[in-house]
Amino acid sequence: MSGSNQRIDGKRLWDSLMAMAEFGATPKGGVKRLTLTEVDKAGRAAFTGWCEALGLTMRVDSMGNMFARREGRDPSRLPVLMGSHLDSQPTGGKFDGALGVIAGLEVMRSLHELGITTEAPIELVNWTDEEGSRFGHSLMGSGVWTGVYTQEKCYALADVEGVTVSEALDAIGAKGSIPAKPFPADAYFELHIEQGPILEREGKQIGIVTGAQAQVWYDAVLIGQDSHAGTTPPSARKDALVGAARIITLVDEEMRARGEDGRGTVGQLHVLPSSRNVVPGEVRFSIEFRHPEDAEIKLLADTFPAKAQAIANEMGLKLELTELFQIPAQPFDPSCVDLVRQAAARNGFSAREIISGAGHDAVYVARKVPTAMIFTPCKDGLSHNEAESILPEEAEAGCQVLFEAVVARANRAL
Ligand SMILES: [Zn+2]
């Protein structure tokens, strides 16, 4: 193999991934490590121990975001950040999030073992509550850190048992004294599993992530009239579910009209009154569109509501469509992306450019700090699933790219 003779230790990386997967291990081979629980606390403690064993200095901010710092040669330089998240979905896998944090740990261990001192300091980050599965709000730690959300609002969010984020942070001792807000940093790199099928399908080892998609999300309520299934003839029906079906088909058509870059999903549907012999009088459903280009999302936001309204009108239904938000596309920093590209090429890894289909901490961090992401393939594109699976050599390749990109950035000439 070509590339740097400074290699990360793939076996040590894998062993540590498996060790972290013990915290919240499920019988089906997955992980349940919900944010700010006792299990998360134990995982955080292990992570802290591993970092401190390398002489790294730990800081925890008021959202529980953890930063493990390794000093550089030049104290005036801004730190290069790398990381991801250690929390998981309730039926999550071993690698979503954990890969980026544990690979960052392996980068730190390799620097330590190889006796490398970089010019700039390097900090390894574990962002709190990326998944949003406990408090219903994803990307919380990085969102507060970057100022997308206020801490006050996030502190007040409660889980199903009524425990607030603020209480949960206190309960596991994760509420640090330093404020969760951006500090000057030179760059941020995040390694993550793709959570989709593209790399695997094309036999690529590395995804060079160039940015994240633009999105528009809606809540839809379609109102018709409950009526007897047996006595209401077609001419008298105001069937909200049939209307919803037509709007769902419209969402799919809008997506497919945009080729392989299109995304359009109705993932939630509540049918009322949900009785088998009542024509449904009301349907509540979610709609979201995503696309790499802002212009396409803007076009959808401008035209989709009227098309959906036309369907409702034609069927004598009332449509309430609420736009929840529009997020612009987030391009990553070209110079950071290029370091990922160069590291993959130096090692002879097969690679392709890719747009992130999912939300990631890096997407918010990119608003404040020059950012890039590295994707590795995952089996069958499966994630948020206990069967989530990657190969040790895939983790190793991703970690080697992370290592080389971070070191190159930390040593760059200013
Ligand atoms: Zn993740």
Side-chain angles (χ1 to χ4, degrees), residues 63 83 100-101 125 147 174 178 185 188 199 226 242 248 252 255 257 300 311 319 327 349 373 376 396:
M63 284 302 296
V101 178
V125 193
I178 56 172
Y188 175 67
L199 295 175
D226 299 352
V242 175
I248 293 166
D252 191 63
M255 172 185 78
L300 277 164
I311 291 173
L319 174 65
I327 306 178
F349 296 143
M373 285 189 83
T376 57
E396 182 176 351

Side-chain angles (χ1 to χ4, degrees), residues 84-85 87 95-98 130-131 190 192 195 359-361 384:
S84 194
H85 60 96
D87 70 313
F95 305 102
D96 174 4
E130 190 273 351
E131 297 290 359
E190 181 167 347
H192 206 283
Q195 304 182 286
H360 290 292
D361 294 308
H384 288 186

